[in-house]
Amino acid sequence: MEKKIIKVDSNNKAKDRRRFLQLSGMGLVGASLLVACSNDDDGMAMMPPEGEDGIFDLGSGDLGVLNYAYALEQLEADFYTKVVNSFYANISDEERLVLTDLYNHEVNHRDFFKTAITAAVGSNTELVLPTLEFDYGDLDFNNRDQVLGTAKILEDTGVAAYNGAGRLITSPDYLLLAGKIVSVEARHASAIRTLINPGSADFAGDDTVDVMTGLDVALDPSDILAAVGATGFITTPFTANNLP
């Protein structure tokens, strides 16, 4: 990919923001793979999930949560792949670099979950969520507002999803990794919100952060999957009968 020289203001805000994003993603996957390969499968439900009419079910316990996260990361990775393969018209240098960083992070997250789940289930490959297919309908990837607006929804949803699923994880190793990844997703959400409305307080808006506790929104898998399903982006059917 051709390297671009980023133009920044006198305070180097764009450069600092990008470096912040880059550092937040460094080392995550490498460390995660080491933990995944050494995990002792505690809390991992190894029985085949009860699917409906041959439709894959995410499963229960830690396995269900990992497959759930894998589904969301597949969506985000696919979305940003389409974004960087054909950037919208008149994109700024800062936006190009930030979106490229997010693309690299989400692809790493997706690949990590596939490797972690595969390592955990061993020969029981039928327990690994298959590669999903997507359709973005009328979403115009050449329209800045639509691309950044969709990115905002996906990143906010990702943060709420990890926050809500944390209580379901029994393995300390997986809980640690989920905590690392959600911190990266929160940085993504903040970066996208700043691109949409620079110089504002939207990076930690009242719609995602509880003004009383200062904590991000946390939603159960059923709520997240209903919201994602409403977008129509994921066309491969699957169920989550064993997740709350």
Side-chain angles (χ1 to χ4, degrees):
M1 181 179 293
E2 180 184 359
K3 292 186 178 179
K4 299 286 185 179
I5 299 176
I6 185 169
K7 298 179 181 179
V8 300
D9 60 21
S10 59
N11 293 320
N12 277 335
K13 290 182 179 179
K15 182 178 180 180
D16 291 343
R17 187 180 302 124
R18 185 183 184 232
R19 178 166 176 76
F20 184 64
L21 284 171
Q22 288 178 319
L23 291 175
S24 71
M26 289 177 62
L28 174 62
V29 174
S32 298
L33 294 183
L34 291 176
V35 176
C37 291
S38 64
N39 191 276
D40 61 3
D41 297 337
D42 285 346
M44 190 69 65
M46 300 304 294
M47 295 297 292
E50 294 294 330
E52 298 175 355
D53 299 325
I55 297 176
F56 183 89
D57 187 85
L58 296 180
S60 61
D62 288 354
L63 174 62
V65 175
L66 292 180
N67 273 323
Y68 166 60
Y70 181 35
L72 298 178
E73 296 295 354
Q74 283 195 52
L75 171 58
E76 289 187 300
D78 185 81
F79 170 76
Y80 285 113
T81 297
K82 288 180 169 55
V83 171
V84 301
N85 281 345
S86 182
F87 284 112
Y88 50 79
N90 301 315
I91 186 172
S92 69
D93 287 338
E94 178 185 5
E95 290 169 357
R96 183 189 298 270
L97 291 172
V98 168
L99 290 170
T100 299
D101 283 341
L102 267 59
Y103 156 75
N104 288 323
H105 290 180
E106 299 300 1
V107 168
N108 285 340
H109 292 174
R110 178 199 65 195
D111 293 348
F112 156 66
F113 277 109
K114 182 175 182 179
T115 300
I117 298 169
T118 300
V121 302
S123 61
N124 299 307
T125 56
E126 72 278 3
L127 300 179
V128 182
L129 177 73
T131 299
L132 303 176
E133 295 184 357
F134 306 93
D135 184 351
Y136 298 93
D138 296 331
L139 177 60
D140 183 358
F141 281 89
N142 195 43
N143 183 294
R144 177 184 185 274
D145 290 342
Q146 290 190 32
V147 169
L148 294 183
T150 301
K152 175 177 175 290
I153 293 172
L154 293 180
E155 297 298 349
D156 288 348
T157 299
V159 174
Y162 279 103
N163 286 341
R167 64 181 181 81
L168 305 176
I169 300 174
T170 60
S171 164
D173 289 336
Y174 289 135
L175 184 59
L176 174 62
L177 295 177
K180 290 182 177 181
I181 293 178
V182 73
S183 71
V184 177
E185 296 291 347
R187 288 164 171 80
H188 291 180
S190 176
I192 290 295
R193 284 167 166 262
T194 299
L195 291 181
I196 293 174
N197 194 5
S200 72
D202 287 0
F203 67 92
D206 292 346
D207 56 329
T208 59
V209 177
D210 189 310
V211 295
M212 299 298 294
T213 66
L215 300 176
D216 277 301
V217 171
L219 295 175
D220 288 333
S222 58
D223 295 322
I224 293 292
L225 292 174
V228 171
T231 67
F233 292 164
I234 300 178
T235 60
T236 304
F238 63 83
T239 58
N241 294 330
N242 298 292
L243 293 177

PDB file of all heavy atoms in Angstrom, residues 44-49 56-59 63 67 70 74 113-131:
ATOM      1  N   MET A  44     -15.014 -24.630  29.010  1.00  0.00           N
ATOM      2  CA  MET A  44     -15.285 -24.782  27.595  1.00  0.00           C
ATOM      3  C   MET A  44     -16.268 -25.937  27.389  1.00  0.00           C
ATOM      4  O   MET A  44     -15.964 -27.090  27.698  1.00  0.00           O
ATOM      5  CB  MET A  44     -13.981 -25.065  26.834  1.00  0.00           C
ATOM      6  CG  MET A  44     -14.107 -25.013  25.327  1.00  0.00           C
ATOM      7  SD  MET A  44     -14.410 -23.356  24.705  1.00  0.00           S
ATOM      8  CE  MET A  44     -12.898 -22.526  25.156  1.00  0.00           C
ATOM      9  N   ALA A  45     -17.451 -25.627  26.880  1.00  0.00           N
ATOM     10  CA  ALA A  45     -18.452 -26.661  26.619  1.00  0.00           C
ATOM     11  C   ALA A  45     -18.071 -27.387  25.339  1.00  0.00           C
ATOM     12  O   ALA A  45     -18.097 -26.810  24.256  1.00  0.00           O
ATOM     13  CB  ALA A  45     -19.835 -26.029  26.472  1.00  0.00           C
ATOM     14  N   MET A  46     -17.702 -28.664  25.429  1.00  0.00           N
ATOM     15  CA  MET A  46     -17.180 -29.384  24.285  1.00  0.00           C
ATOM     16  C   MET A  46     -18.218 -30.240  23.571  1.00  0.00           C
ATOM     17  O   MET A  46     -17.925 -30.901  22.591  1.00  0.00           O
ATOM     18  CB  MET A  46     -16.014 -30.279  24.715  1.00  0.00           C
ATOM     19  CG  MET A  46     -14.861 -29.495  25.325  1.00  0.00           C
ATOM     20  SD  MET A  46     -14.242 -28.205  24.233  1.00  0.00           S
ATOM     21  CE  MET A  46     -13.563 -29.200  22.921  1.00  0.00           C
ATOM     22  N   MET A  47     -19.444 -30.265  24.077  1.00  0.00           N
ATOM     23  CA  MET A  47     -20.494 -31.003  23.398  1.00  0.00           C
ATOM     24  C   MET A  47     -21.004 -30.189  22.218  1.00  0.00           C
ATOM     25  O   MET A  47     -21.094 -28.962  22.292  1.00  0.00           O
ATOM     26  CB  MET A  47     -21.655 -31.301  24.352  1.00  0.00           C
ATOM     27  CG  MET A  47     -21.279 -32.236  25.486  1.00  0.00           C
ATOM     28  SD  MET A  47     -20.780 -33.858  24.868  1.00  0.00           S
ATOM     29  CE  MET A  47     -22.357 -34.445  24.243  1.00  0.00           C
ATOM     30  N   PRO A  48     -21.342 -30.853  21.100  1.00  0.00           N
ATOM     31  CA  PRO A  48     -21.872 -30.112  19.948  1.00  0.00           C
ATOM     32  C   PRO A  48     -23.112 -29.317  20.340  1.00  0.00           C
ATOM     33  O   PRO A  48     -23.976 -29.815  21.062  1.00  0.00           O
ATOM     34  CB  PRO A  48     -22.222 -31.235  18.956  1.00  0.00           C
ATOM     35  CG  PRO A  48     -21.349 -32.381  19.353  1.00  0.00           C
ATOM     36  CD  PRO A  48     -21.233 -32.290  20.845  1.00  0.00           C
ATOM     37  N   PRO A  49     -23.212 -28.070  19.922  1.00  0.00           N
ATOM     38  CA  PRO A  49     -24.372 -27.249  20.273  1.00  0.00           C
ATOM     39  C   PRO A  49     -25.629 -27.753  19.592  1.00  0.00           C
ATOM     40  O   PRO A  49     -25.581 -28.420  18.566  1.00  0.00           O
ATOM     41  CB  PRO A  49     -23.986 -25.858  19.740  1.00  0.00           C
ATOM     42  CG  PRO A  49     -23.007 -26.146  18.649  1.00  0.00           C
ATOM     43  CD  PRO A  49     -22.247 -27.352  19.088  1.00  0.00           C
ATOM     44  N   PHE A  56     -25.941 -23.410  12.502  1.00  0.00           N
ATOM     45  CA  PHE A  56     -24.917 -23.409  13.539  1.00  0.00           C
ATOM     46  C   PHE A  56     -25.385 -22.625  14.758  1.00  0.00           C
ATOM     47  O   PHE A  56     -25.960 -21.542  14.635  1.00  0.00           O
ATOM     48  CB  PHE A  56     -23.629 -22.777  12.999  1.00  0.00           C
ATOM     49  CG  PHE A  56     -22.483 -22.803  13.970  1.00  0.00           C
ATOM     50  CD1 PHE A  56     -21.621 -23.882  14.015  1.00  0.00           C
ATOM     51  CD2 PHE A  56     -22.278 -21.746  14.857  1.00  0.00           C
ATOM     52  CE1 PHE A  56     -20.559 -23.915  14.913  1.00  0.00           C
ATOM     53  CE2 PHE A  56     -21.227 -21.772  15.763  1.00  0.00           C
ATOM     54  CZ  PHE A  56     -20.366 -22.863  15.788  1.00  0.00           C
ATOM     55  N   ASP A  57     -25.106 -23.192  15.957  1.00  0.00           N
ATOM     56  CA  ASP A  57     -25.386 -22.478  17.198  1.00  0.00           C
ATOM     57  C   ASP A  57     -24.057 -22.113  17.851  1.00  0.00           C
ATOM     58  O   ASP A  57     -23.105 -22.909  17.842  1.00  0.00           O
ATOM     59  CB  ASP A  57     -26.205 -23.340  18.155  1.00  0.00           C
ATOM     60  CG  ASP A  57     -26.647 -22.560  19.389  1.00  0.00           C
ATOM     61  OD1 ASP A  57     -27.689 -21.879  19.310  1.00  0.00           O
ATOM     62  OD2 ASP A  57     -25.935 -22.619  20.413  1.00  0.00           O
ATOM     63  N   LEU A  58     -23.964 -20.926  18.419  1.00  0.00           N
ATOM     64  CA  LEU A  58     -22.704 -20.441  18.979  1.00  0.00           C
ATOM     65  C   LEU A  58     -22.198 -21.295  20.137  1.00  0.00           C
ATOM     66  O   LEU A  58     -20.998 -21.326  20.409  1.00  0.00           O
ATOM     67  CB  LEU A  58     -22.872 -18.998  19.457  1.00  0.00           C
ATOM     68  CG  LEU A  58     -23.192 -17.962  18.369  1.00  0.00           C
ATOM     69  CD1 LEU A  58     -23.336 -16.572  18.998  1.00  0.00           C
ATOM     70  CD2 LEU A  58     -22.131 -17.953  17.287  1.00  0.00           C
ATOM     71  N   GLY A  59     -23.111 -22.004  20.817  1.00  0.00           N
ATOM     72  CA  GLY A  59     -22.701 -22.834  21.929  1.00  0.00           C
ATOM     73  C   GLY A  59     -22.879 -22.121  23.260  1.00  0.00           C
ATOM     74  O   GLY A  59     -23.463 -21.036  23.338  1.00  0.00           O
ATOM     75  N   LEU A  63     -16.906 -21.206  25.210  1.00  0.00           N
ATOM     76  CA  LEU A  63     -16.941 -21.455  23.772  1.00  0.00           C
ATOM     77  C   LEU A  63     -17.992 -20.579  23.099  1.00  0.00           C
ATOM     78  O   LEU A  63     -17.739 -19.979  22.045  1.00  0.00           O
ATOM     79  CB  LEU A  63     -17.245 -22.932  23.486  1.00  0.00           C
ATOM     80  CG  LEU A  63     -17.451 -23.286  22.008  1.00  0.00           C
ATOM     81  CD1 LEU A  63     -16.189 -23.005  21.204  1.00  0.00           C
ATOM     82  CD2 LEU A  63     -17.877 -24.745  21.859  1.00  0.00           C
ATOM     83  N   ASN A  67     -17.179 -17.749  20.230  1.00  0.00           N
ATOM     84  CA  ASN A  67     -17.832 -17.756  18.915  1.00  0.00           C
ATOM     85  C   ASN A  67     -18.625 -16.474  18.675  1.00  0.00           C
ATOM     86  O   ASN A  67     -18.664 -15.942  17.564  1.00  0.00           O
ATOM     87  CB  ASN A  67     -18.763 -18.971  18.791  1.00  0.00           C
ATOM     88  CG  ASN A  67     -18.045 -20.214  18.295  1.00  0.00           C
ATOM     89  OD1 ASN A  67     -17.158 -20.144  17.446  1.00  0.00           O
ATOM     90  ND2 ASN A  67     -18.437 -21.368  18.820  1.00  0.00           N
ATOM     91  N   TYR A  70     -16.190 -13.827  17.885  1.00  0.00           N
ATOM     92  CA  TYR A  70     -15.670 -14.117  16.551  1.00  0.00           C
ATOM     93  C   TYR A  70     -16.637 -13.637  15.471  1.00  0.00           C
ATOM     94  O   TYR A  70     -16.222 -13.076  14.448  1.00  0.00           O
ATOM     95  CB  TYR A  70     -15.419 -15.616  16.428  1.00  0.00           C
ATOM     96  CG  TYR A  70     -14.845 -16.092  15.119  1.00  0.00           C
ATOM     97  CD1 TYR A  70     -13.935 -15.322  14.395  1.00  0.00           C
ATOM     98  CD2 TYR A  70     -15.204 -17.350  14.619  1.00  0.00           C
ATOM     99  CE1 TYR A  70     -13.411 -15.788  13.193  1.00  0.00           C
ATOM    100  CE2 TYR A  70     -14.676 -17.815  13.425  1.00  0.00           C
ATOM    101  CZ  TYR A  70     -13.784 -17.031  12.715  1.00  0.00           C
ATOM    102  OH  TYR A  70     -13.267 -17.499  11.526  1.00  0.00           O
ATOM    103  N   GLN A  74     -15.674 -10.793  12.801  1.00  0.00           N
ATOM    104  CA  GLN A  74     -15.769 -11.063  11.357  1.00  0.00           C
ATOM    105  C   GLN A  74     -16.491  -9.917  10.653  1.00  0.00           C
ATOM    106  O   GLN A  74     -16.080  -9.485   9.571  1.00  0.00           O
ATOM    107  CB  GLN A  74     -16.507 -12.374  11.099  1.00  0.00           C
ATOM    108  CG  GLN A  74     -15.697 -13.628  11.347  1.00  0.00           C
ATOM    109  CD  GLN A  74     -16.359 -14.853  10.733  1.00  0.00           C
ATOM    110  OE1 GLN A  74     -16.702 -14.884   9.554  1.00  0.00           O
ATOM    111  NE2 GLN A  74     -16.552 -15.881  11.543  1.00  0.00           N
ATOM    112  N   PHE A 113      -9.403 -14.829  17.194  1.00  0.00           N
ATOM    113  CA  PHE A 113     -10.504 -15.648  17.701  1.00  0.00           C
ATOM    114  C   PHE A 113     -10.604 -16.974  16.956  1.00  0.00           C
ATOM    115  O   PHE A 113     -10.867 -18.013  17.570  1.00  0.00           O
ATOM    116  CB  PHE A 113     -11.824 -14.884  17.636  1.00  0.00           C
ATOM    117  CG  PHE A 113     -12.026 -13.970  18.806  1.00  0.00           C
ATOM    118  CD1 PHE A 113     -11.955 -12.593  18.656  1.00  0.00           C
ATOM    119  CD2 PHE A 113     -12.265 -14.479  20.064  1.00  0.00           C
ATOM    120  CE1 PHE A 113     -12.117 -11.746  19.744  1.00  0.00           C
ATOM    121  CE2 PHE A 113     -12.428 -13.649  21.164  1.00  0.00           C
ATOM    122  CZ  PHE A 113     -12.353 -12.272  20.997  1.00  0.00           C
ATOM    123  N   LYS A 114     -10.373 -16.955  15.663  1.00  0.00           N
ATOM    124  CA  LYS A 114     -10.415 -18.219  14.923  1.00  0.00           C
ATOM    125  C   LYS A 114      -9.330 -19.158  15.426  1.00  0.00           C
ATOM    126  O   LYS A 114      -9.576 -20.362  15.644  1.00  0.00           O
ATOM    127  CB  LYS A 114     -10.236 -17.979  13.428  1.00  0.00           C
ATOM    128  CG  LYS A 114     -10.311 -19.270  12.609  1.00  0.00           C
ATOM    129  CD  LYS A 114     -10.259 -19.001  11.119  1.00  0.00           C
ATOM    130  CE  LYS A 114     -10.390 -20.311  10.330  1.00  0.00           C
ATOM    131  NZ  LYS A 114     -10.360 -20.072   8.862  1.00  0.00           N
ATOM    132  N   THR A 115      -8.130 -18.632  15.657  1.00  0.00           N
ATOM    133  CA  THR A 115      -7.024 -19.456  16.137  1.00  0.00           C
ATOM    134  C   THR A 115      -7.286 -19.946  17.558  1.00  0.00           C
ATOM    135  O   THR A 115      -7.044 -21.115  17.879  1.00  0.00           O
ATOM    136  CB  THR A 115      -5.709 -18.653  16.106  1.00  0.00           C
ATOM    137  OG1 THR A 115      -5.448 -18.236  14.758  1.00  0.00           O
ATOM    138  CG2 THR A 115      -4.536 -19.481  16.605  1.00  0.00           C
ATOM    139  N   ALA A 116      -7.791 -19.056  18.414  1.00  0.00           N
ATOM    140  CA  ALA A 116      -8.049 -19.420  19.805  1.00  0.00           C
ATOM    141  C   ALA A 116      -9.124 -20.499  19.914  1.00  0.00           C
ATOM    142  O   ALA A 116      -8.970 -21.465  20.669  1.00  0.00           O
ATOM    143  CB  ALA A 116      -8.460 -18.182  20.593  1.00  0.00           C
ATOM    144  N   ILE A 117     -10.202 -20.345  19.158  1.00  0.00           N
ATOM    145  CA  ILE A 117     -11.289 -21.332  19.208  1.00  0.00           C
ATOM    146  C   ILE A 117     -10.824 -22.663  18.649  1.00  0.00           C
ATOM    147  O   ILE A 117     -11.093 -23.725  19.214  1.00  0.00           O
ATOM    148  CB  ILE A 117     -12.521 -20.824  18.437  1.00  0.00           C
ATOM    149  CG1 ILE A 117     -13.059 -19.547  19.080  1.00  0.00           C
ATOM    150  CG2 ILE A 117     -13.616 -21.893  18.413  1.00  0.00           C
ATOM    151  CD1 ILE A 117     -14.105 -18.832  18.241  1.00  0.00           C
ATOM    152  N   THR A 118     -10.098 -22.614  17.532  1.00  0.00           N
ATOM    153  CA  THR A 118      -9.601 -23.847  16.916  1.00  0.00           C
ATOM    154  C   THR A 118      -8.662 -24.582  17.860  1.00  0.00           C
ATOM    155  O   THR A 118      -8.720 -25.812  17.987  1.00  0.00           O
ATOM    156  CB  THR A 118      -8.875 -23.524  15.598  1.00  0.00           C
ATOM    157  OG1 THR A 118      -9.784 -22.871  14.703  1.00  0.00           O
ATOM    158  CG2 THR A 118      -8.359 -24.794  14.937  1.00  0.00           C
ATOM    159  N   ALA A 119      -7.792 -23.829  18.558  1.00  0.00           N
ATOM    160  CA  ALA A 119      -6.878 -24.453  19.514  1.00  0.00           C
ATOM    161  C   ALA A 119      -7.640 -25.071  20.682  1.00  0.00           C
ATOM    162  O   ALA A 119      -7.264 -26.120  21.199  1.00  0.00           O
ATOM    163  CB  ALA A 119      -5.875 -23.420  20.017  1.00  0.00           C
ATOM    164  N   ALA A 120      -8.727 -24.424  21.084  1.00  0.00           N
ATOM    165  CA  ALA A 120      -9.480 -24.889  22.252  1.00  0.00           C
ATOM    166  C   ALA A 120     -10.287 -26.148  21.969  1.00  0.00           C
ATOM    167  O   ALA A 120     -10.394 -27.027  22.824  1.00  0.00           O
ATOM    168  CB  ALA A 120     -10.395 -23.776  22.738  1.00  0.00           C
ATOM    169  N   VAL A 121     -10.867 -26.238  20.781  1.00  0.00           N
ATOM    170  CA  VAL A 121     -11.769 -27.371  20.489  1.00  0.00           C
ATOM    171  C   VAL A 121     -11.036 -28.568  19.888  1.00  0.00           C
ATOM    172  O   VAL A 121     -11.602 -29.662  19.793  1.00  0.00           O
ATOM    173  CB  VAL A 121     -12.911 -26.940  19.543  1.00  0.00           C
ATOM    174  CG1 VAL A 121     -13.696 -25.796  20.142  1.00  0.00           C
ATOM    175  CG2 VAL A 121     -12.377 -26.570  18.155  1.00  0.00           C
ATOM    176  N   GLY A 122      -9.780 -28.374  19.485  1.00  0.00           N
ATOM    177  CA  GLY A 122      -9.023 -29.491  18.934  1.00  0.00           C
ATOM    178  C   GLY A 122      -9.647 -30.063  17.688  1.00  0.00           C
ATOM    179  O   GLY A 122      -9.909 -29.355  16.715  1.00  0.00           O
ATOM    180  N   SER A 123      -9.916 -31.355  17.722  1.00  0.00           N
ATOM    181  CA  SER A 123     -10.464 -32.038  16.541  1.00  0.00           C
ATOM    182  C   SER A 123     -11.952 -31.770  16.345  1.00  0.00           C
ATOM    183  O   SER A 123     -12.514 -32.125  15.297  1.00  0.00           O
ATOM    184  CB  SER A 123     -10.230 -33.548  16.650  1.00  0.00           C
ATOM    185  OG  SER A 123     -10.888 -34.079  17.798  1.00  0.00           O
ATOM    186  N   ASN A 124     -12.599 -31.136  17.318  1.00  0.00           N
ATOM    187  CA  ASN A 124     -14.037 -30.859  17.221  1.00  0.00           C
ATOM    188  C   ASN A 124     -14.284 -29.590  16.407  1.00  0.00           C
ATOM    189  O   ASN A 124     -14.873 -28.617  16.894  1.00  0.00           O
ATOM    190  CB  ASN A 124     -14.650 -30.726  18.616  1.00  0.00           C
ATOM    191  CG  ASN A 124     -14.505 -31.975  19.448  1.00  0.00           C
ATOM    192  OD1 ASN A 124     -14.887 -33.067  19.015  1.00  0.00           O
ATOM    193  ND2 ASN A 124     -13.934 -31.836  20.625  1.00  0.00           N
ATOM    194  N   THR A 125     -13.857 -29.605  15.160  1.00  0.00           N
ATOM    195  CA  THR A 125     -13.911 -28.398  14.330  1.00  0.00           C
ATOM    196  C   THR A 125     -15.336 -27.949  14.028  1.00  0.00           C
ATOM    197  O   THR A 125     -15.551 -26.802  13.622  1.00  0.00           O
ATOM    198  CB  THR A 125     -13.165 -28.630  13.010  1.00  0.00           C
ATOM    199  OG1 THR A 125     -13.712 -29.789  12.340  1.00  0.00           O
ATOM    200  CG2 THR A 125     -11.683 -28.856  13.261  1.00  0.00           C
ATOM    201  N   GLU A 126     -16.299 -28.836  14.237  1.00  0.00           N
ATOM    202  CA  GLU A 126     -17.694 -28.458  14.006  1.00  0.00           C
ATOM    203  C   GLU A 126     -18.184 -27.438  15.026  1.00  0.00           C
ATOM    204  O   GLU A 126     -19.263 -26.854  14.856  1.00  0.00           O
ATOM    205  CB  GLU A 126     -18.601 -29.690  14.033  1.00  0.00           C
ATOM    206  CG  GLU A 126     -18.828 -30.319  15.398  1.00  0.00           C
ATOM    207  CD  GLU A 126     -17.702 -31.243  15.847  1.00  0.00           C
ATOM    208  OE1 GLU A 126     -16.708 -31.350  15.120  1.00  0.00           O
ATOM    209  OE2 GLU A 126     -17.848 -31.870  16.917  1.00  0.00           O
ATOM    210  N   LEU A 127     -17.372 -27.211  16.076  1.00  0.00           N
ATOM    211  CA  LEU A 127     -17.752 -26.246  17.108  1.00  0.00           C
ATOM    212  C   LEU A 127     -17.266 -24.837  16.798  1.00  0.00           C
ATOM    213  O   LEU A 127     -17.559 -23.905  17.548  1.00  0.00           O
ATOM    214  CB  LEU A 127     -17.178 -26.680  18.459  1.00  0.00           C
ATOM    215  CG  LEU A 127     -17.617 -28.052  18.991  1.00  0.00           C
ATOM    216  CD1 LEU A 127     -16.957 -28.339  20.319  1.00  0.00           C
ATOM    217  CD2 LEU A 127     -19.132 -28.130  19.115  1.00  0.00           C
ATOM    218  N   VAL A 128     -16.507 -24.678  15.715  1.00  0.00           N
ATOM    219  CA  VAL A 128     -15.982 -23.368  15.338  1.00  0.00           C
ATOM    220  C   VAL A 128     -16.964 -22.673  14.396  1.00  0.00           C
ATOM    221  O   VAL A 128     -17.365 -23.242  13.373  1.00  0.00           O
ATOM    222  CB  VAL A 128     -14.615 -23.487  14.638  1.00  0.00           C
ATOM    223  CG1 VAL A 128     -14.066 -22.102  14.306  1.00  0.00           C
ATOM    224  CG2 VAL A 128     -13.639 -24.275  15.500  1.00  0.00           C
ATOM    225  N   LEU A 129     -17.366 -21.466  14.741  1.00  0.00           N
ATOM    226  CA  LEU A 129     -18.254 -20.697  13.866  1.00  0.00           C
ATOM    227  C   LEU A 129     -17.649 -20.607  12.467  1.00  0.00           C
ATOM    228  O   LEU A 129     -16.480 -20.232  12.321  1.00  0.00           O
ATOM    229  CB  LEU A 129     -18.456 -19.292  14.431  1.00  0.00           C
ATOM    230  CG  LEU A 129     -19.302 -18.331  13.583  1.00  0.00           C
ATOM    231  CD1 LEU A 129     -20.776 -18.727  13.654  1.00  0.00           C
ATOM    232  CD2 LEU A 129     -19.122 -16.893  14.063  1.00  0.00           C
ATOM    233  N   PRO A 130     -18.396 -20.943  11.431  1.00  0.00           N
ATOM    234  CA  PRO A 130     -17.845 -20.865  10.072  1.00  0.00           C
ATOM    235  C   PRO A 130     -17.639 -19.422   9.626  1.00  0.00           C
ATOM    236  O   PRO A 130     -18.096 -18.475  10.287  1.00  0.00           O
ATOM    237  CB  PRO A 130     -18.927 -21.559   9.231  1.00  0.00           C
ATOM    238  CG  PRO A 130     -20.190 -21.378  10.016  1.00  0.00           C
ATOM    239  CD  PRO A 130     -19.777 -21.446  11.460  1.00  0.00           C
ATOM    240  N   THR A 131     -16.949 -19.262   8.519  1.00  0.00           N
ATOM    241  CA  THR A 131     -16.762 -17.935   7.937  1.00  0.00           C
ATOM    242  C   THR A 131     -18.108 -17.403   7.478  1.00  0.00           C
ATOM    243  O   THR A 131     -18.833 -18.068   6.729  1.00  0.00           O
ATOM    244  CB  THR A 131     -15.798 -18.002   6.744  1.00  0.00           C
ATOM    245  OG1 THR A 131     -14.527 -18.490   7.196  1.00  0.00           O
ATOM    246  CG2 THR A 131     -15.621 -16.632   6.116  1.00  0.00           C
TER     247      THR A 131
END
